Amino acid sequence: MQKKLYAFLCCCFVSVSVFAQSKINITSNIPDAKFFMLRESDNSEVAELGVGSIELKLSKDSRNRIKIVKEGYEPLIKEYPRTIKWEKEQKIALENRLVDISVEPYDAEIYVDGRMIGTKRTNLVIGKGKFLTLEVKKTGFAPITKIYYNAPDREAPPIKDFFEMKDRQVRLEVFPADATVQINGVSKGRGTSDITIPNGECVTVNVVREGYADVTQVFCNKPATDPAPPIRFRAALEDRLVKITTAPADANIEVAGKILGVGKYDLKVPKNDCVEVRVVKDGFIRFTKSYCNQTNMQEPPLTEFVEMVEDEAYNSSISTDMANVRITIPVNKTIAPEDAWRTLSSIITRSFDVLETVDYNTGYLTTSWQVQNFNGMSTIRTRMIVSSGGNSNELTYVVKIISQRADGVISVKEDQLFSDWGRLLKRYGGIVEELQSRLQ
């Protein structure tokens, strides 16, 4: 039995040896693909065998290793040991595409489908019917993304692809986090954002939020003239903004004595500061308010509508150039000094109940303050001072009507709260004219 089995195996071996091909024809699916013979021990090339198709003689004691190469395709290595029976005609298909990828700067990282595969340079293999997403990343630069397809209905991948990172990127950290980011006037979104600055250009970034003063920053990517933009930039909205509107619409809005707007104004309140605003218009009670942007203080409102109240004092007064100025009244020489003084005192006491100082010899007279409140929102005080003037040869009186105004209901003694008012209450409006008429 053992002899019969041995004989059978020998027959099979002889049969295989007889029928194994000594030569085969190998053809590539790409006509200009090159064939190379490889060493047995490694993948180094020994000799070029041909282009497109070759006749390969199978050495008895060799694995007959060959490599098929075509630029833009992944090389294919095949072995044809003579111990195997091969069909006379062999077909080879190069199907996986190969892209030589290089990048600058050289330390930029190369990612494929989200996985880092290297820097500077790499070979990208795209399998048949597949696609790969390539990303090139480096901090401070805008990332570059490209998708490669290996499919008949798609554009064929290039043999080589070079990526030079020129567009810069700034990580814009925004506070408050819900502030809106605008790039060149176009809204990009809310909160922290990556800002791309194209090579050779500048972009204007605005960070806006209702109730805050905008933060504006210009980033330039002009290597020849400007330093590189920062990798990160913090845009913190800290100054508050109050949109003030008034009624009447032509009221003046003042800060620190300067008119900043008429009818409407966007008031900026710097961080850790307070700003006092006055809204002023003739015939209306002055509006005054302080807005503070400080810790533990009430936040400024987003908007402030100031509806002014009509000033009763204004309607009860006249505009005049005789208030708070010294007016010289020469006395007609035909009038005796005693009569002139008597006439002057009589005219004044008809409007002022109390005379505080009276001195005929020196020609000096002062009245007490006459006080009147209006709207419960303003106080007007008025007094009159008379002194002698001129030389000894002619009798002259110098008259001054002091008219002052203060906000609120104020004591007449609070001098620091009063200021000169360019109007006179109607009851005092004709005093100077009457004095001039009676004494001249």
Side-chain angles (χ1 to χ4, degrees), residues 23-144:
K23 292 181 181 181
I24 57 176
N25 295 323
I26 306 174
T27 303
S28 171
N29 63 325
I30 300 175
D32 57 349
K34 294 182 178 181
F35 291 80
F36 293 90
M37 180 63 72
L38 300 182
R39 293 184 186 276
E40 292 289 303
S41 57
D42 55 40
N43 292 334
S44 59
E45 298 171 359
V46 175
E48 183 176 339
L49 300 175
V51 178
S53 64
I54 62 169
E55 182 183 68
L56 181 63
K57 184 179 180 180
L58 303 181
S59 298
K60 184 178 179 180
D61 299 324
S62 172
R63 288 185 290 167
N64 299 303
R65 303 176 70 241
I66 64 171
K67 179 166 71 172
I68 303 90
V69 177
K70 166 63 180 172
E71 195 174 32
Y73 289 84
E74 181 184 28
L76 190 61
I77 295 177
K78 299 287 287 186
E79 295 184 0
Y80 296 94
R82 191 169 175 178
T83 54
I84 298 176
K85 184 179 179 179
W86 301 98
E87 295 289 339
K88 180 68 175 178
E89 299 296 330
Q90 296 290 317
K91 301 292 185 180
I92 298 295
L94 295 178
E95 296 179 323
N96 296 338
R97 302 304 295 257
L98 181 70
V99 183
D100 181 4
I101 303 292
S102 57
V103 301
E104 284 188 7
Y106 293 134
D107 58 346
E109 298 175 341
I110 303 171
Y111 290 78
V112 174
D113 289 342
R115 181 174 61 88
M116 181 182 169
I117 62 171
T119 59
K120 188 175 180 180
R121 190 169 187 175
T122 190
N123 287 324
L124 184 66
V125 177
I126 309 108
K128 181 181 178 181
K130 305 288 186 179
F131 69 90
L132 296 176
T133 301
L134 178 134
E135 293 178 283
V136 183
K137 298 180 181 181
K138 178 176 169 59
T139 302
F141 289 85
I144 301 173

Side-chain angles (χ1 to χ4, degrees), residues 153-411:
D153 58 342
R154 295 282 190 169
E155 181 182 357
I159 296 172
K160 295 182 179 181
D161 226 347
F162 172 67
F163 297 93
E164 184 176 6
M165 306 187 79
K166 291 185 176 181
D167 296 343
R168 291 283 184 163
Q169 188 177 75
V170 177
R171 184 71 169 175
L172 186 70
E173 298 172 346
V174 173
F175 178 82
D178 61 347
T180 298
V181 178
Q182 299 174 344
I183 300 178
N184 292 334
V186 179
S187 178
K188 177 180 174 62
R190 296 179 182 272
T192 297
S193 306
D194 291 322
I195 309 300
T196 296
I197 307 104
N199 184 47
E201 298 182 19
C202 294
V203 299
T204 300
V205 177
N206 291 308
V207 181
V208 300
R209 186 178 186 274
E210 189 178 26
Y212 289 84
D214 297 354
V215 170
T216 300
Q217 183 68 34
V218 177
F219 299 106
C220 289
N221 183 10
K222 298 181 178 180
T225 58
D226 299 317
I231 294 174
R232 293 179 178 272
F233 185 85
R234 185 173 185 268
L237 301 180
E238 296 179 326
D239 298 337
R240 302 304 295 262
L241 196 70
V242 182
K243 293 183 178 294
I244 299 175
T245 55
T246 70
D250 58 348
N252 291 336
I253 301 172
E254 301 178 354
V255 174
K258 295 181 179 179
I259 298 175
L260 300 182
V262 177
K264 60 182 180 179
Y265 181 68
D266 292 345
L267 177 69
K268 180 179 177 180
V269 186
K271 181 182 179 183
N272 298 324
D273 201 357
C274 291
V275 178
E276 184 181 80
V277 173
R278 292 186 177 187
V279 181
V280 180
K281 179 175 170 56
D282 288 343
F284 293 84
I285 299 295
R286 180 172 55 194
F287 172 87
T288 302
K289 185 174 180 178
S290 289
Y291 302 92
C292 291
N293 182 9
Q294 297 176 335
T295 305
N296 299 325
M297 296 286 285
Q298 182 179 359
E299 289 189 359
L302 300 179
T303 61
E304 184 80 72
F305 176 66
V306 179
E307 186 170 8
M308 303 186 75
V309 177
E310 285 193 16
D311 188 358
E312 292 179 2
Y314 188 90
N315 296 328
S316 301
S317 63
I318 60 172
S319 177
T320 179
D321 57 1
M322 293 186 181
N324 303 304
V325 296
R326 291 165 58 88
I327 301 170
T328 300
I329 302 177
V331 178
N332 193 313
K333 293 181 180 181
T334 62
I335 301 176
E338 296 84 355
D339 293 338
W341 181 260
R342 189 179 302 110
T343 299
L344 182 145
S345 300
S346 173
I347 294 172
I348 292 175
T349 54
R350 285 206 303 268
S351 299
F352 292 89
D353 297 332
V354 179
L355 299 180
E356 190 173 272
T357 305
V358 179
D359 191 338
Y360 167 72
N361 293 325
T362 61
Y364 187 74
L365 178 151
T366 62
T367 71
S368 296
W369 286 109
Q370 299 265 91
V371 181
Q372 190 169 350
N373 298 319
F374 294 90
N375 300 84
M377 302 181 72
S378 66
T379 302
I380 307 298
R381 69 177 186 178
T382 312
R383 76 184 305 185
M384 195 164 183
I385 299 176
V386 178
S387 61
S388 62
N391 54 51
S392 57
N393 295 326
E394 53 182 44
L395 180 61
T396 301
Y397 290 110
V398 178
V399 177
K400 183 177 182 180
I401 301 179
I402 302 174
S403 179
Q404 295 184 335
R405 183 185 185 283
D407 291 334
V409 179
I410 303 298
S411 168

